[in-house]
Amino acid sequence: MKFNSLSLRALLIASTAMLAPELVYAQTETDVEAEPETNTAEPSDLKLQEVVVLGRYIPEVLRSTSEVAAFLAPEDLARQGDSDAAAALARVTGLSIAEGKFVYVRGLGERYSSARLNGSPLPSPEPLQRVVPLDLFPTKILENVLVQKTYSAEYPAEFGGGIIDLRTLSIPTESFLDLKISGGWNSETTNQSGLVYSGGSTDALGFDDGTRKLPGPVRRAMATGQRIVNGNFTPTELQAIGTSFTNAEINLLQQNDNIPLDGSYSASGGTSFDMGSFELGIVGVLGYSNEWRTREGRQEVGEISGGILLAPSYFDYTRTTQDIGLDGMLGIGLDFGDDKIDWTNLYIRRTSKEARSTEGFDDLASRFTRTHRTAWYERELYSTQLNGKHFRGPWTFDWRTALSQTKRDAPYERDIRYVDSPVLSGYVYNPTGNGSANNLSFSYLDDKVISAGADVTYTQPVSSARDIEYSAGFEAYKDERSAQQRIFQFIPANPPLDFLLTQERADYLFANYNINPVNGFELREITGASGSAAYDADLEVVGLYGKIDAEVLPLVRVAFGVRYENAVQSTTPLSLIASEAAPTGAPSVKNNYILPAGTLTWNFAEDQQVRLGYSKTIGRPQFRELAPQQYYDPDSSRIFIGNPYLTDTEITNIDARYEYYFDRGQSLTFGVFYKDLDKPVEAVVVTQSASVFQTYLNAPKAILTGAEAEFKRTFESPFSGPFLGSKDFLVQANYTYTTSDVQAGAGDVVYPLQAAGQPRPATNFIVDGSQLQGLSEHLANLQLGWEDEAAKSQLTLLATYASERITARGPGGQPDFVQDPGINLDLVYKKGLELRGREFTFDFKAQNLLGQDFDEYQSGSGGYVQVNQYDVGTTISLGLSTEF
């Protein structure tokens, strides 16, 4: 779309331009500035002039969209110094980050946002989410990030908070090769005491050397289709299967009194070749990172007793994780002038090696307990994409196709439970226990998305400065997920165990000589039955849209589109034991939607405009929220289980926004928004026997309203002198206020998992007037900094604030679970250096300078429960990079 500006004289007679466009001629901005003002009274001297100058400071990506959007340019990513996309997006107005990786847009949980890579959908390696965690994407592979907060018909119908489009590096304008090395120190971890375990010889690379491979005897036993228990296998066979598991390398926790520094290495390069009739560009990125984090925390389990909230069970824990990252990207682009084709290949791998010890009082067991846990999580994302853009006069044709796959492998998740001994002043092994105690778990998840889409646009000139764009297109994608989990226990073959055996160290306790059918342990498979251990899920979506984007009047732009979307979603429980039939899954959910979306933009003054938007969208339940498979989350110590009776959320969106761009990269914006959510999905915590479960249900209704403001200004130094006089200063701030109202009246019902699909009063689970989950009422960001081109230096102070937000509904009349993100303060400094005739860039980054902790709690009913609390610490990193 083109933007036009009218002088006062032209504005008064703008209507004439619509009736007589042949009288209008285009004039350059230079001509306008040079033209003297005249006030002749002769009608014959009056000429209508339509001039293209309005919006000269509006960033191109925001000028080309009719929607409310935010844009992270390369300079923003560089200045903020964030290592991954999730951290960078936390600086955007109205966005907050949960668990360090999931983006909440305008207070709506991650289920209401979606991430796309170069316009194509992505799968997720997370068991609890369909949305890909954005901490997987290092900023070094990104060229820019677009966040669209109002819906337009060319995007999929699943839109509540926003669409996040990550755009990777493309054809470089000039050849480059960048090398970077950095190291980091964390106040709670580095050179401090932490927990480790041996594992395999290649753990530091993020790949297992075979230590954690499921043993051959176990695989062969599984292939029989029988549950691995006494009765299906002989004691001798069970002994052979049990002794095949890896023992000492996996089970034995050790204390390391000097956890090492973090480190990362990366190389990126690109070049282009003039091939005569076309240009060939190649971009590549390689990166490796190794990060350690120790958490010293506390977890409590709440209970209402005598009307008072108490914490009868409480535990202190130490958890050390080693996170290894490996990133690779290869992009190849062909530019024929009127035809452009890009092929992008992305590989991201994240491995977490976890060692954890938890100690405290278990009210159910009425004694003190200690649990040791070791785990290994591999997450991979691979995506290959082909994108094309073709120009034929007024016609533009875009197409894209992609295959993306993620995997999560968690072999040898091991929990070993000990109890206090009345005889010894210490702990002894206890073969019984609740939850995941004394379990050995193997789980695997595979999620694959195949997608294709195309868009065609025709531009019809209305005058020399105005046009109408007609666009239409389709997108089809299929998301397939498979998840399964096998769980084993070692139980006494002939209880009780010898008391001396219970005092043995873990590597001796489960040594081969203690796995025998006489006086030791016997293997037993406790994999969930009735489809609770595995499921297949499938989502097929076909969408068609049509859209008109036109400047119907000078200065007034209207974009209106309609999307038709057909979707079929199914979740099928599976039995991993051939002799045990899985239950019939919930029927496939088939829906057809016709969704309108419209935006009006009034460019009423030079570099100022107002946008108004209206749309209808949906939110689908995620696979994990529908699947009956049980999943134990070590972070929250809760078991998650889906609810197959969930339905889609239907959303009405209304937006209004004022924008003022008063100079290059400088702006002031203010907006308000309203969302009506019919049947939003809410997480509910329930207690059953000795376990705490988190499941889901559709609340009847929720209303969300809010306002957001952003200011960005750069200015020359008001100071004089050799240090401050040469600097340009930056002030950037944004604030979002959001309030919500979850409604549950006397006649409303919900369909909880516990009721097996039967209606129950909504007020039994939802407090009328409560806040939506994940919503922080206040979000604020502040950036203060300076840049000195002569000194090749840049400094930025970044502050982020998010107020309290609900993470889950409390069980049995208890207060909700609440997290308090608080204030996070970071400092980023960059300095250009010349060493031995080569240019280097030195980076200094300090994160969480105020030492904000992670804090999740329950408060009310006369009590306070620390659901989960741990110290995050301050992280300082130093980096050095150079370009060849």
Side-chain angles (χ1 to χ4, degrees):
M1 288 295 298
K2 301 174 184 175
F3 283 76
N4 56 339
S5 175
L6 302 180
S7 65
L8 177 61
R9 180 178 45 171
L11 182 62
L12 293 175
I13 54 176
S15 58
T16 308
M18 300 184 64
L19 299 175
E22 67 275 7
L23 299 178
V24 181
Y25 66 91
Q27 186 168 319
T28 66
E29 183 176 343
T30 304
D31 294 336
V32 173
E33 293 174 350
E35 181 189 15
E37 291 291 333
T38 60
N39 292 307
T40 176
E42 295 294 331
S44 60
D45 294 336
L46 183 62
K47 293 182 178 180
L48 178 65
Q49 299 172 355
E50 192 175 61
V51 185
V52 182
V53 295
L54 215 69
R56 65 187 182 207
Y57 295 140
I58 300 176
E60 174 60 30
V61 69
L62 299 182
R63 196 185 327 158
S64 62
T65 178
S66 58
E67 309 305 322
V68 174
F71 181 70
L72 284 178
E75 56 268 25
D76 298 317
L77 297 172
R79 175 179 283 277
Q80 293 170 188
D82 297 307
S83 60
D84 59 72
L89 287 165
R91 322 290 185 184
V92 175
T93 309
L95 271 64
S96 61
I97 304 299
E99 302 175 41
K101 53 189 174 184
F102 296 111
V103 173
Y104 286 15
V105 182
R106 290 177 165 176
L108 290 170
E110 44 81 23
R111 69 164 55 82
Y112 295 109
S113 304
S114 60
R116 299 171 79 81
L117 184 66
N118 299 321
S120 295
L122 287 168
S124 173
E126 292 295 320
L128 297 176
Q129 281 84 17
R130 188 170 68 228
V131 181
V132 62
L134 296 183
D135 67 325
L136 286 180
F137 296 90
T139 51
K140 59 178 171 282
I141 71 166
L142 300 176
E143 183 165 13
N144 55 62
V145 182
L146 177 68
V147 181
Q148 184 169 309
K149 300 179 185 178
T150 56
Y151 179 67
S152 53
E154 66 268 26
Y155 282 115
E158 280 195 87
F159 186 105
I163 289 280
I164 299 163
D165 195 359
L166 308 170
R167 299 169 178 180
T168 56
L169 299 170
S170 57
I171 298 178
T173 56
E174 58 183 29
S175 299
F176 72 96
L177 174 61
D178 289 334
L179 302 177
K180 183 174 183 178
I181 181 173
S182 66
W185 171 90
N186 178 266
S187 61
E188 297 293 326
T189 305
T190 312
N191 300 325
Q192 304 291 320
S193 177
L195 296 175
V196 297
Y197 69 96
S198 175
S201 60
T202 57
D203 285 4
L205 300 177
F207 291 88
D208 180 56
D209 63 356
T211 298
R212 299 175 180 85
K213 185 178 180 180
L214 192 65
V218 181
R219 296 198 304 272
R220 288 190 290 272
M222 288 179 178
T224 66
Q226 298 291 317
R227 183 177 292 271
I228 304 175
V229 294
N230 195 358
N232 293 332
F233 296 85
T234 68
T236 302
E237 290 173 330
L238 289 177
Q239 183 178 8
I241 298 170
T243 56
S244 69
F245 285 104
T246 301
N247 176 37
E249 299 92 330
I250 300 297
N251 294 334
L252 183 62
L253 283 186
Q254 298 172 294
Q255 184 166 300
N256 185 336
D257 293 329
N258 192 12
I259 298 295
L261 290 165
D262 302 335
S264 66
Y265 314 87
S266 66
S268 58
T271 189
S272 58
F273 305 92
D274 188 349
M275 311 298 289
S277 59
F278 65 92
E279 183 180 14
L280 170 66
I282 300 175
V283 173
V285 176
L286 280 175
Y288 168 83
S289 62
N290 191 351
E291 179 182 279
W292 295 81
R293 287 296 177 269
T294 297
R295 297 176 177 177
E296 299 276 357
R298 184 176 180 87
Q299 291 180 326
E300 298 175 348
V301 180
E303 177 183 299
I304 297 290
S305 179
I308 304 297
L309 178 65
L310 303 174
S313 297
Y314 51 89
F315 307 92
D316 295 313
Y317 68 88
T318 299
R319 176 188 178 191
T320 300
T321 57
Q322 181 185 9
D323 296 311
I324 305 104
L326 185 64
D327 313 307
M329 192 197 78
L330 175 64
I332 300 176
L334 298 174
D335 189 343
F336 298 88
D338 290 340
D339 301 278
K340 297 180 180 180
I341 299 175
D342 292 312
W343 182 32
T344 304
N345 298 276
L346 178 65
Y347 175 76
I348 297 174
R349 181 182 177 90
R350 293 290 182 270
T351 302
S352 295
K353 182 180 181 181
E354 176 188 319
R356 174 171 176 156
S357 178
T358 302
E359 184 175 341
F361 186 78
D362 186 334
D363 182 60
L364 185 68
S366 298
R367 63 196 308 179
F368 285 90
T369 65
R370 176 188 290 169
T371 302
H372 287 176
R373 177 180 178 82
T374 57
W376 173 269
Y377 304 103
E378 299 176 1
R379 297 184 297 166
E380 286 185 336
L381 184 150
Y382 171 72
S383 179
T384 181
Q385 302 179 327
L386 270 176
N387 292 14
K389 185 180 285 287
H390 308 274
F391 305 90
R392 295 293 183 271
W395 293 90
T396 302
F397 177 62
D398 297 327
W399 58 270
R400 59 196 176 276
T401 182
L403 169 63
S404 301
Q405 186 169 15
T406 61
K407 297 181 179 181
R408 180 186 184 271
D409 193 12
Y412 279 97
E413 286 185 89
R414 187 67 189 265
D415 291 272
I416 303 176
R417 178 184 171 96
Y418 304 86
V419 297
D420 63 327
S421 170
V423 178
L424 303 173
S425 58
Y427 288 89
V428 296
Y429 175 71
N430 177 32
T432 64
N434 61 291
S436 64
N438 302 313
N439 287 356
L440 178 59
S441 170
F442 296 80
S443 61
Y444 184 79
L445 182 148
D446 187 292
D447 202 333
K448 179 171 64 177
V449 172
I450 302 174
S451 63
D455 306 275
V456 60
T457 302
Y458 174 72
T459 303
Q460 175 190 358
V462 176
S463 70
S464 58
R466 293 190 294 121
D467 52 38
I468 301 176
E469 285 183 357
Y470 305 92
S471 57
F474 84 95
E475 181 178 73
Y477 64 90
K478 183 174 184 177
D479 187 351
E480 296 178 312
R481 172 178 282 199
S482 177
Q484 59 178 278
Q485 182 181 48
R486 305 293 290 244
I487 308 176
F488 303 90
Q489 278 187 344
F490 285 99
I491 64 171
N494 291 294
L497 288 174
D498 183 272
F499 185 66
L500 292 177
L501 189 152
T502 63
Q503 300 174 53
E504 292 184 352
R505 208 171 65 181
D507 51 338
Y508 294 115
L509 181 67
F510 295 104
N512 288 353
Y513 52 77
N514 279 336
I515 301 175
N516 65 76
V518 179
N519 58 1
F521 294 105
E522 184 176 79
L523 182 68
R524 178 179 65 180
E525 183 176 5
I526 59 168
T527 297
S530 302
S532 62
Y535 69 93
D536 285 343
D538 185 273
L539 173 64
E540 297 182 28
V541 178
V542 177
L544 303 170
Y545 80 92
K547 182 179 176 182
I548 298 176
D549 193 344
E551 196 164 351
V552 294
L553 294 171
L555 310 176
V556 178
R557 176 183 182 183
V558 174
F560 178 77
V562 175
R563 184 178 188 87
Y564 166 78
E565 194 164 282
N566 172 269
V568 180
Q569 184 172 5
S570 63
T571 305
T572 306
L574 303 175
S575 176
L576 297 177
I577 312 298
S579 59
E580 301 174 3
T584 303
S588 297
V589 179
K590 301 179 181 180
N591 283 310
N592 296 287
Y593 294 99
I594 297 178
L595 302 169
T599 305
L600 183 147
T601 304
W602 180 26
N603 209 168
F604 64 92
E606 184 172 286
D607 301 324
Q608 296 183 62
Q609 58 189 19
V610 171
R611 300 183 193 265
L612 301 174
Y614 172 85
S615 63
K616 282 186 171 292
T617 56
I618 63 168
R620 295 188 180 94
Q622 300 179 21
F623 292 145
R624 193 63 193 84
E625 294 170 346
L626 291 166
Q629 183 192 38
Q630 295 185 15
Y631 168 75
Y632 177 76
D633 177 28
D635 288 333
S636 61
S637 296
R638 295 197 288 270
I639 298 172
F640 287 75
I641 183 169
N643 179 2
Y645 310 106
L646 298 178
T647 61
D648 291 353
T649 302
E650 299 187 25
I651 309 168
T652 300
N653 311 278
I654 300 175
D655 285 85
R657 179 178 168 105
Y658 163 77
E659 302 172 0
Y660 175 32
Y661 299 91
F662 46 86
D663 208 337
R664 299 290 178 189
Q666 303 185 50
S667 60
L668 172 67
T669 66
F670 176 78
V672 294
F673 52 90
Y674 168 89
K675 295 180 183 294
D676 184 325
L677 294 87
D678 183 47
K679 295 184 173 57
V681 176
E682 294 272 274
V684 179
V685 174
V686 296
T687 55
Q688 181 177 325
S689 183
S691 299
V692 178
F693 291 85
Q694 181 164 317
T695 184
Y696 309 90
L697 53 76
N698 289 103
K701 186 181 180 65
I703 300 294
L704 182 146
T705 57
E708 56 188 18
E710 181 174 19
F711 174 78
K712 184 177 181 180
R713 175 73 190 276
T714 59
F715 55 92
E716 296 181 355
S717 175
F719 308 102
S720 59
F723 180 72
L724 294 176
S726 60
K727 291 176 171 54
D728 293 329
F729 288 85
L730 165 73
V731 177
Q732 183 171 348
N734 61 65
Y735 169 74
T736 303
Y737 171 77
T738 312
T739 183
S740 63
D741 181 10
V742 180
Q743 300 176 3
D748 292 323
V749 297
V750 294
Y751 296 86
L753 176 67
Q754 309 92 296
Q758 297 302 309
R760 293 291 183 268
T763 52
N764 289 355
F765 300 86
I766 305 294
V767 177
D768 185 53
S770 59
Q771 188 170 280
L772 268 172
Q773 289 175 20
L775 185 144
S776 291
E777 195 171 72
H778 305 281
L779 297 173
N781 291 283
L782 175 66
Q783 294 187 36
L784 302 174
W786 51 253
E787 184 170 3
D788 190 330
E789 291 188 7
K792 300 179 181 178
S793 64
Q794 184 185 80
L795 181 142
T796 311
L797 185 69
L798 306 105
T800 301
Y801 170 73
S803 62
E804 296 174 338
R805 59 190 176 209
I806 296 172
T807 55
R809 302 297 176 193
Q814 294 183 26
D816 291 336
F817 290 26
V818 176
Q819 182 192 349
D820 185 8
I823 300 176
N824 193 78
L825 185 65
D826 300 341
L827 179 69
V828 179
Y829 175 72
K830 298 177 182 290
K831 172 68 176 176
L833 306 170
E834 184 173 335
L835 300 174
R836 297 187 176 183
R838 180 172 298 281
E839 293 290 331
F840 289 84
T841 300
F842 168 76
D843 297 321
F844 170 85
K845 181 165 60 175
Q847 296 175 291
N848 196 24
L849 286 169
L850 301 180
Q852 180 67 48
D853 300 333
F854 180 91
D855 189 12
E856 185 181 18
Y857 62 88
Q858 292 175 277
S859 180
S861 299
Y864 181 90
V865 172
Q866 194 74 69
V867 176
N868 192 11
Q869 186 277 332
Y870 59 84
D871 298 331
V872 176
T874 298
T875 301
I876 294 175
S877 61
L878 304 176
L880 190 65
S881 61
T882 186
E883 182 175 338
F884 292 87

